[in-house]
Amino acid sequence: MEPLRFESPVLERSRFRFAPGRVSVRPGAVTVLMGANGSGKSTALRVSAGLAKPSSGAVLVDGIDVAKRSPWQRAARIAFVPQRTAVAAPFTAREVVALGRVARPSAPERVDAALHAVGLAHRAHDAFGTLSGGQQQRIALARALAQLEPTGILLLDEAFAAIDPSETVAMVRLVRSVAGQGATVLAVAHDLALACALADDAWVLRDGATTAFGAAEDVLVPARVGALLGVHAVSAAGAAGGRVLTPDYRATMPTD
């Protein structure tokens, strides 16, 4: 049984219709979700977390409609890192990470381990609001890690967008390690090079519908990416025999 499965959920808001069809996100792997702005990526994560309820169809977690689970049951299986983390109270970084355990048994060692994993143990007692945007995003990831069980579901909505390249490398390694331990990871990304480094599988949405889903090596290739995402992409040899995709903006710029 797949931990996370989309059974033709339909969510209609204003003029947008989210209807991606049937897709299964496999455990022990990272699935990168891509698409233009407004294509339904964040909606996919929200319905996966039970934060939005489809009018028909369902998102199944362990075979059960996630919308029918209580918040406590969802928290036991699903950790979600949103695009932006807002903390209104004057919490320290460590207190924000500890919020990941609100619906779980207290585990101070898990909180400390998560802070160490994202490289911010030395900022544990600093006010969250004094951290940079990238550091706040890493704290949000640490909060999810403190919550997540080894075979849980991790949802990442542009979790690396504000993080420096050097730290992004460390966070990609961390997320891939979490998947390697058995977690099911669904991550939204815009950066093609990052997607290549992160993804085992790739899922592409356009206007709320699935246009591609499969192994990253089959989906994230220049010709297909160009058709799916509307950008001219080029491929280069990466480290350890891998391939890296990047947009070729000059290909679409007017020449003098």
Side-chain angles (χ1 to χ4, degrees):
M1 182 184 298
E2 302 93 344
L4 181 60
R5 181 174 177 81
F6 289 72
E7 282 289 341
S8 301
V10 176
L11 183 70
E12 300 196 46
R13 290 182 175 174
S14 185
R15 297 179 181 178
F16 178 71
R17 188 172 190 266
F18 178 71
R22 289 181 169 83
V23 171
S24 295
V25 182
R26 62 190 176 105
V30 179
T31 298
V32 167
L33 179 55
M34 307 188 76
N37 291 335
S39 61
K41 303 183 299 297
S42 293
T43 299
L45 296 193
R46 287 181 57 79
V47 296
S48 298
L51 301 176
K53 185 177 180 180
S55 55
S56 63
V59 175
L60 306 182
V61 171
D62 304 324
I64 301 172
D65 186 345
V66 68
K68 296 180 179 178
R69 289 176 173 247
S70 72
W72 307 106
Q73 290 173 323
R74 296 199 302 267
R77 290 290 287 133
I78 304 165
F80 180 29
V81 179
Q83 288 184 21
R84 289 171 292 278
T85 299
V87 177
F91 290 151
T92 66
R94 191 181 191 283
E95 287 170 335
V96 172
V97 176
L99 291 174
R101 302 299 301 178
V102 166
R104 311 290 295 144
S106 178
E109 71 284 355
R110 291 279 302 270
V111 173
D112 293 334
L115 279 163
H116 179 76
V118 301
L120 289 173
H122 64 293
R123 301 298 300 271
H125 301 293
D126 292 349
F128 179 80
T130 67
L131 303 179
S132 70
Q135 290 171 332
Q136 289 182 355
Q137 200 67 359
R138 286 155 63 193
I139 289 295
L141 178 57
R143 179 177 61 187
L145 295 179
Q147 174 188 352
L148 189 71
E149 296 303 317
T151 58
I153 297 169
L154 178 60
L155 306 174
L156 304 173
D157 195 354
E158 290 288 352
F160 309 101
I163 301 176
D164 292 336
S166 61
E167 294 298 340
T168 297
V169 172
M171 295 306 101
V172 167
R173 286 179 181 151
L174 178 58
V175 170
R176 288 205 54 81
S177 173
V178 168
Q181 294 170 33
T184 300
V185 181
L186 178 59
V188 170
H190 279 107
D191 187 311
L192 286 174
L194 174 63
C196 289
L198 191 61
D200 297 297
D201 296 327
W203 180 12
V204 182
L205 288 173
R206 178 186 294 159
D207 298 328
T210 296
T211 55
F213 183 85
E217 61 186 13
D218 296 329
V219 177
L220 299 179
V221 295
R224 199 167 186 195
V225 163
L228 293 170
L229 300 178
V231 61
H232 187 85
V234 294
S235 177
R243 304 294 296 176
V244 176
L245 282 185
T246 185
D248 182 3
Y249 296 112
R250 286 186 178 275
T252 56
M253 292 173 64
T255 58
D256 295 333

